[in-house]
Amino acid sequence: MADQTNSSELLAPTAISQPRRFPAKGEPLIHQVNWVGLKTLYMKEVRRFFKVQTQTIWAPAITTLLFLVIFTLALGRGGKEVLGVNFATFVAPGLIVMGMMQNAFANASFSFLSGKIQGTIIDFLMPPLSEGELMLAMVGAAVTRAVLVGLVLAGAMMLWPDVDLSVAHPWAIVWFGLMGAIFLSLLGFISSIWAEKFDHNAAITNFVIAPLSLLSGTFYVIDNLAPAFQIISRFNPFFYVISGFRFGFLGASDIGDTNLAVLHGALGMGVVNIAFALIVYLVLRSGWKLKG
């Protein structure tokens, strides 16, 4: 009798299965960072520009390299030296980071704007990505393109006669290169939110990006300018990126007479990028010109 009881107890269910609970309507399923979605959007953007790498990587690198050829032949003859090195070595780092920044802007400003014009912006807004994750993926892809362009430019310039890209301060190359790429990525991102057609985006490129990059000490030191224009140059973030990036190669810059001045410039660019990222995040979260 005891054996029968034990057998029946073993056959009986130990507990009543509970029905599966589905989340309430509107309750988020992803409570933390959506790493899968973030990585997917990042890879989508990287593959987009990599499919046309001749246009997005190699062509900008060759165009920037032409600046080195033209200005070196026009101004670099006769053993002219700037900051203790020949002109070609002086101008090369500035051209590298200038190419990086311009392509970071171009990449970040294209996807959103084309989505708005083609009516596919919902593909960015519909997936379960927060505003921060969306911004991080887009900026990350733009920075990736900037780094690739910078590497191609550096490799090409090493083959140019009289260019010496010996590294003096690796941290400055990495920091100012990334800070410049991030700054222009954020600027391109908010530009694509504001713009309603490609002409608006081109206007930002031609009337803001190009003048600020070319007039920021890429081809000269600001000590050659009048005092008033030196003050104006020091309010230009491009100046700190280009001079700080050059400091990484030459060990000298026109930011200041000491390495501490360069460090202050590095910290200042970090603060500027944090503040700018917060502004872009708030604009994106508001849905301005995106949701209506």
Side-chain angles (χ1 to χ4, degrees):
M1 186 68 180
D3 293 339
Q4 293 179 355
T5 303
N6 292 336
S7 299
S8 62
E9 289 177 355
L10 291 173
L11 293 174
T14 56
I16 299 176
S17 58
Q18 298 293 331
R20 183 177 178 183
R21 178 185 175 275
F22 292 95
K25 185 177 180 180
E27 180 180 336
L29 296 176
I30 302 173
H31 298 281
Q32 297 179 351
V33 179
N34 184 1
W35 293 110
V36 175
L38 193 155
K39 179 182 177 182
T40 301
L41 180 57
Y42 167 79
M43 292 305 301
K44 170 187 174 294
E45 287 298 302
V46 171
R47 289 172 180 170
R48 177 188 61 78
F49 76 73
F50 213 78
K51 282 183 178 180
V52 287
Q53 56 181 288
T54 303
Q55 176 185 352
T56 56
I57 298 177
W58 299 102
I62 293 174
T63 302
T64 307
L65 187 61
L66 289 176
F67 280 105
L68 176 67
V69 175
I70 294 170
F71 280 90
T72 299
L73 294 178
L75 303 175
R77 295 178 177 178
K80 181 178 180 180
E81 292 189 354
V82 184
L83 293 180
V85 296
N86 62 66
F87 184 77
T89 299
F90 165 80
V91 78
L95 287 174
I96 293 173
V97 74
M98 184 181 73
M100 292 173 61
M101 290 190 294
Q102 289 179 343
N103 282 275
F105 175 86
N107 198 84
S109 63
F110 177 81
S111 293
F112 249 49
L113 181 56
S114 62
K116 289 169 65 177
I117 294 175
Q118 297 172 3
T120 59
I121 191 66
I122 192 67
D123 294 338
F124 292 98
L125 304 178
M126 190 74 172
L129 289 171
S130 67
E131 291 80 7
E133 292 163 353
L134 176 61
M135 184 176 69
L136 183 60
M138 301 293 287
V139 170
V143 171
T144 300
R145 175 176 167 182
V147 171
L148 291 175
V149 171
L151 291 175
V152 171
L153 273 170
M157 289 183 180
M158 286 181 181
L159 303 177
W160 184 255
D162 299 328
V163 172
D164 181 12
L165 290 181
S166 300
V167 176
H169 301 284
W171 72 267
I173 297 174
V174 174
W175 178 260
F176 284 103
L178 290 178
M179 288 298 102
I182 292 172
F183 180 75
L184 267 294
S185 299
L186 292 170
L187 182 59
F189 193 46
I190 199 169
S191 173
S192 67
I193 296 174
W194 163 77
E196 296 180 357
K197 52 185 179 179
F198 287 112
D199 287 349
H200 294 164
N201 202 36
I204 298 295
T205 302
N206 295 328
F207 299 114
V208 178
I209 305 301
L212 288 179
S213 57
L214 293 175
L215 299 176
S216 58
T218 305
F219 304 101
Y220 57 86
V221 291
I222 64 170
D223 293 340
N224 296 332
L225 301 176
F229 288 100
Q230 290 185 33
I231 295 174
I232 294 174
S233 296
R234 291 188 179 278
F235 283 96
N236 181 2
F238 287 63
F239 162 73
Y240 294 96
V241 173
I242 291 174
S243 296
F245 191 81
R246 181 183 288 127
F247 172 79
F249 289 98
L250 307 184
S253 76
D254 50 349
I255 294 179
D257 297 329
T258 63
N259 293 349
L260 185 61
V262 178
L263 181 60
H264 288 162
L267 295 176
M269 279 305 305
V271 172
V272 168
N273 274 339
I274 292 173
F276 198 13
L278 180 61
I279 293 173
V280 175
Y281 171 79
L282 294 176
V283 170
L284 185 61
R285 189 173 183 179
S286 70
W288 178 62
K289 290 202 172 185
L290 295 176
K291 303 174 184 178

